[in-house]
Amino acid sequence: MKVTINGKRCETPAGKTILQAAQANGIYIPTLCYLEKIGALAKCRACAVEVKGNPNLLTACNTPVTEGMEIFTDSDRAVAAQRYVVDLALSSGNHDCMICEKSGDCELQDAAYFLKFEDKDFRRGNYPTDIDDSSPFIRVDHNRCIMCGRCVEACNRIVVNGVIKIINRGFDSRIGFDCDDPMGESSCVQCGECTQVCPVGALTNKKSIGKARVWEVEKVRTTCPYCGVGCQQELHVKNGRIVKVTSAEDGSPNKGRLCVKGRYGYDFIYSEDRLTTPLIREKKGEFREASWDEALDLVAKKFKDIIKKHGPDAIAGVSCARSNNEDSYQMQKLFRSVLKTNNIDHCART
Ligand code: SF4
Ligand code: SF4
Ligand code: SF4
């Protein structure tokens, strides 16, 4: 379809929204509640635009483009509406960006910067000052919540855990967990999906707080080392250490989701308890360090002795849940073809 956006001729496939058409043509429209994987919520109204021939402003996130549409995202009327919404969002909480974990990666900050805010026009007397620190991995800062509703949709529709809802009315509105329980006492499974979709610093990963600013990290795409699903994730690495893990939105099979293990279970990498060399148990029961050659020779000799005395089904192999597909394949080949037993399993349930 051929449309014009701010006087510029653009092309867009049929079935796209104004927001998608603008994004595809490099035109920014402020959004606070829209998230592609959830779809248009059209709650925040920050994406107000003007369309020629239409007396009302339209929300870009849920208005389909039509052939020949003339769209204005930067008209005085559209910008005034966008500013009004962003102004209310800024004014409804305590947005102290300097000390906020989300600074540099915050969609409210981006919108305010784009709209050239120097100050906010409204003053709210009482912020909802409570911080819910009750859960092991997620910090809930109600002061920074802009009530966009993304976490509600994500918890209910993407990971289908049904924990978050919006409770109360008016100034008292806020997100709540189950029957307004502290997050740590609710049925939340700490999958962290809500932290991934939150556009601001209201839901943040505790383990990452104070570890790195967004511009200091390099993102490394990898496969989660836990179970056989093989979720795609992004490691946020600063000075060679992982400071945060998020999910890769474009990757199958998880498409932006992770479970608690994949998102928060990365401490083992830096554990002092990790084995870095094989250990052989001495007769007295104590372990001593050994070379790989010595350890493998010992295991091979013991396997041979057991098979000679009791047959191959007297042994079994369990490969590590963190080994990759190819290593696991080799392990079952070794047991089935070389050692001649089908006693082989994989502990993919870490
Ligand atoms: S949530 Fe965004 S706007 Fe609010 S303090 Fe944090 S970075 Fe600033
Ligand atoms: S961590 Fe997961 S289960 Fe818990 S509230 Fe967030 S999305 Fe729902
Ligand atoms: S916690 Fe975040 S995602 Fe949830 S409503 Fe508030 S701002 Fe939106």
Side-chain angles (χ1 to χ4, degrees):
M1 286 184 167
K2 291 185 173 54
V3 296
T4 62
I5 307 179
N6 302 339
K8 180 184 158 197
R9 285 173 199 272
C10 302
E11 289 196 6
T12 182
K16 297 291 178 190
T17 62
I18 293 176
L19 180 65
Q20 288 167 328
Q23 286 174 340
N25 285 282
I27 296 164
Y28 173 78
I29 301 175
T31 59
L32 296 174
C33 72
Y34 176 78
L35 194 64
E36 195 166 343
K37 67 178 173 181
I38 298 174
L41 301 180
K43 285 180 178 171
C44 76
R45 327 303 282 181
C47 63
V49 294
E50 226 176 332
V51 172
K52 191 174 174 187
N54 199 308
N56 299 320
L57 293 174
L58 300 173
T59 39
C61 68
N62 68 342
T63 305
V65 287
T66 53
E67 185 65 43
M69 207 177 215
E70 287 182 54
I71 304 155
F72 300 93
T73 72
D74 62 355
S75 68
D76 289 347
R77 216 172 138 220
V79 170
Q82 294 163 9
R83 281 187 66 89
Y84 194 76
V85 172
V86 172
D87 203 351
L88 285 168
L90 278 172
S91 308
S92 69
N94 189 12
H95 292 285
D96 44 0
C97 301
M98 204 165 57
I99 54 169
C100 181
E101 187 61 24
K102 195 78 171 174
S103 189
D105 188 26
C106 171
E107 291 170 56
L108 179 59
Q109 204 180 45
D110 290 347
Y113 187 76
F114 175 78
L115 294 166
K116 299 186 176 59
F117 270 84
E118 291 188 353
D119 199 0
K120 47 195 182 185
D121 286 338
F122 303 100
R123 288 284 176 275
R124 179 169 174 183
N126 59 326
Y127 296 129
T129 49
D130 52 329
I131 290 173
D132 179 350
D133 215 18
S134 62
S135 70
F137 299 119
I138 298 169
R139 183 178 193 262
V140 186
D141 187 344
H142 293 284
N143 304 303
R144 295 190 178 123
C145 173
I146 55 169
M147 300 297 290
C148 70
R150 277 191 195 174
C151 60
V152 178
E153 299 300 319
C155 187
N156 287 286
R157 282 170 48 196
I158 294 177
V159 287
V160 199
N161 285 325
V163 181
I164 314 183
K165 50 192 73 75
I166 292 192
I167 57 167
N168 300 335
R169 291 288 179 274
F171 278 127
D172 294 329
S173 303
R174 60 192 180 90
I175 58 161
F177 306 94
D178 288 344
C179 299
D180 199 15
D181 296 320
M183 190 187 216
E185 291 171 26
S186 73
S187 57
C188 166
V189 294
Q190 298 281 285
C191 69
E193 177 71 21
C194 51
T195 66
Q196 176 127 349
V197 300
C198 183
V200 294
L203 296 167
T204 48
N205 298 316
K206 278 185 179 178
K207 287 171 76 163
S208 309
I209 293 174
K211 297 273 171 61
R213 284 304 199 187
V214 62
W215 53 87
E216 294 176 316
V217 301
E218 181 195 354
K219 284 191 189 171
V220 180
R221 176 79 166 256
T222 190
T223 304
C224 175
Y226 277 97
C227 79
V229 173
C231 292
Q232 295 300 293
Q233 50 182 211
E234 308 263 14
L235 309 179
H236 299 229
V237 178
K238 179 186 173 187
N239 298 333
R241 281 183 81 91
I242 298 171
V243 294
K244 187 161 85 173
V245 173
T246 54
S247 180
E249 291 288 350
D250 60 340
S252 286
N254 49 317
K255 295 199 170 71
R257 305 167 184 86
L258 281 176
C259 77
V260 64
K261 295 178 291 181
R263 196 180 298 274
Y264 298 116
Y266 53 88
D267 296 321
F268 72 91
I269 298 167
Y270 306 112
S271 170
E272 296 283 310
D273 296 334
R274 284 191 79 174
L275 298 183
T276 54
T277 174
L279 299 176
I280 291 178
R281 195 194 294 272
E282 297 287 14
K283 288 223 167 65
K284 288 180 197 156
E286 284 172 5
F287 286 109
R288 71 165 170 82
E289 291 189 356
S291 69
W292 278 104
D293 280 347
E294 185 190 3
L296 289 170
D297 284 350
L298 179 68
V299 171
K301 181 179 175 313
K302 293 213 167 187
F303 275 2
K304 279 183 190 158
D305 292 348
I306 293 168
I307 291 170
K308 197 169 167 193
K309 204 165 162 191
H310 302 289
D313 283 340
I315 60 169
V318 180
S319 73
C320 173
R322 295 205 174 91
S323 48
N324 59 29
N325 203 32
E326 289 75 13
D327 287 347
S328 293
Y329 178 81
Q330 299 259 37
M331 181 79 170
Q332 63 87 27
K333 267 290 186 213
L334 173 72
F335 271 72
R336 291 204 169 108
S337 302
V338 181
L339 303 176
K340 309 289 185 204
T341 177
N342 288 325
N343 293 339
I344 175 73
D345 201 359
H346 177 276
C347 62
R349 293 164 290 273
T350 314

